[in-house]
Amino acid sequence: MHDWRALTKAQLDWNYDQRPHAPNMVQVLERLATAGAQAQARLSCRQRLTYGSTEIEALDWYACGQAQAPVLFFIHGGAWRSGQARDYAFFVEWMLAEGVDVVIPDFAAVQEVGGDLGVLHRQLAQALHLVSSRLQGSGRLIHLCGHSSGAHLAACLATSPGAVPGICSLTLCSGLYELEPVSLSSRSQYVNFTPACVEALSPQRHVQSLQRMPLPVTVLCGTQESPEFMRQSQAFHAALQAAALPSRLVMGEGMNHFDILESLAGPTGLLAKQLRKAWAADALA
């Protein structure tokens, strides 16, 4: 792995901007948003539940109707500043058909809360607590997954003190796990990367906290993502292994940051297969 400290500001900007590495970014996101809207229109099983006091603090819960169904809690990406739950319903139908409930929370855009990533983290913790409380006593377990900045936030939830009980797997796709290099990039224009933020919300610094409830962790990244995104995934996986925690690193050959997200659109895609392994292991436990 390269040393990010040797990179210039311009090189960090290039590494933490998806556009130079994924020329199909706009087309893929438009395709997925359209598929998500169409799925929402077809599905009558969606519940919209509030978990907080502001309008954005709500989640979409798609129930498959099976009593012991596992629950996927999926956190979308968007560089912490864009995206809505409804845009990410593109994979819900095949998961429901396989007997899995899907929960997709909405949460604030970071630029609308003074650049404070801690607000997003707290909102998602509230949403996850709501899901956990509704499952209490049922024996049903939660599979936590995120993509891009959503993978960062999912990893923060899993490594935070007082993490929600009932999480049985963690699947992280194309995420960021150490904020210091990110804080030196152009993302600092809209995120307030204080020293406290970087320390508290860099999951790689807190992998030891996972030892209190060891989760199988799957870390995915595409081989066509930027060198820094690949390094972040490799370094986080290495930190998990150094802490003797169960972790797998899966590299999506020929996939960029958005191709690998689209591999969730059907049950045979790379990201979909990793999640199916997670809840198959849950069923066998």
Side-chain angles (χ1 to χ4, degrees):
M1 288 185 283
H2 65 268
D3 184 355
W4 65 264
R5 295 170 184 82
L7 300 179
T8 65
K9 169 70 162 55
Q11 288 171 324
L12 286 167
D13 288 349
W14 176 82
N15 267 282
Y16 288 109
D17 181 353
Q18 298 302 338
R19 288 167 295 185
H21 313 283
N24 62 343
M25 177 181 78
V26 172
Q27 292 88 341
V28 172
L29 290 178
E30 287 180 349
R31 189 157 60 237
L32 296 183
T34 298
Q38 291 171 344
Q40 271 209 341
R42 286 190 294 267
L43 291 168
S44 60
C45 61
R46 179 176 69 102
Q47 279 187 290
R48 184 71 171 170
L49 304 175
T50 60
Y51 64 82
S53 58
T54 66
E55 185 177 355
I56 197 65
E57 292 174 334
L59 56 81
D60 290 335
W61 189 320
Y62 300 88
C64 70
Q66 297 189 22
Q68 293 302 309
V71 178
L72 176 71
F73 187 95
F74 179 82
I75 305 175
H76 69 74
W80 302 298
R81 61 177 173 176
S82 64
Q84 294 178 286
R86 67 183 183 217
D87 297 333
Y88 289 84
F90 63 88
F91 61 87
V92 169
E93 287 173 297
W94 74 259
M95 287 196 181
L96 294 176
E98 292 206 358
V100 178
D101 280 16
V102 178
V103 175
I104 309 176
D106 273 311
F107 50 95
V110 71
Q111 70 275 15
E112 295 174 358
V113 290
D116 186 356
L117 287 178
V119 173
L120 281 63
H121 178 235
R122 289 189 293 273
Q123 287 177 331
L124 287 164
Q126 283 181 264
L128 193 51
H129 273 285
L130 172 66
V131 174
S132 179
S133 67
R134 289 175 71 93
L135 299 179
Q136 193 168 12
S138 69
R140 298 170 66 189
L141 297 174
I142 301 167
H143 297 270
L144 180 57
C145 177
H147 171 255
S148 191
S149 56
H152 163 258
L153 291 165
C156 287
L157 290 175
T159 57
S160 293
V164 173
I167 300 171
C168 66
S169 75
L170 180 61
T171 304
L172 305 169
C173 185
S174 304
L176 303 167
Y177 311 105
E178 169 54 62
L179 291 184
E180 187 175 357
V182 190
S183 73
L184 301 174
S185 76
S186 58
R187 293 195 184 209
S188 62
Q189 294 172 2
Y190 62 90
V191 177
N192 185 18
F193 289 112
T194 63
C197 166
V198 171
E199 176 59 33
L201 299 181
S202 288
Q204 190 165 324
R205 303 185 187 192
H206 306 288
V207 293
Q208 297 289 343
S209 65
L210 283 170
Q211 291 176 330
R212 69 182 181 275
M213 52 168 201
L215 300 172
V217 182
T218 302
V219 182
L220 297 94
C221 191
T223 63
Q224 297 302 306
E225 302 204 41
S226 78
E228 267 294 276
F229 267 81
M230 286 190 281
R231 182 197 64 77
Q232 288 257 4
S233 290
Q234 292 160 354
F236 189 60
H237 169 65
L240 291 165
Q241 289 203 310
L245 291 162
S247 174
R248 293 186 306 127
L249 178 65
V250 178
M251 299 301 294
E253 189 63 39
M255 290 182 170
N256 65 37
H257 195 74
F258 301 97
D259 297 329
I260 201 165
L261 172 63
E262 195 167 26
S263 76
L264 188 56
T268 61
L270 180 66
L271 178 51
K273 284 180 178 178
Q274 305 313 310
L275 287 168
R276 293 173 80 202
K277 286 179 183 178
W279 58 65
D282 170 16
L284 292 172

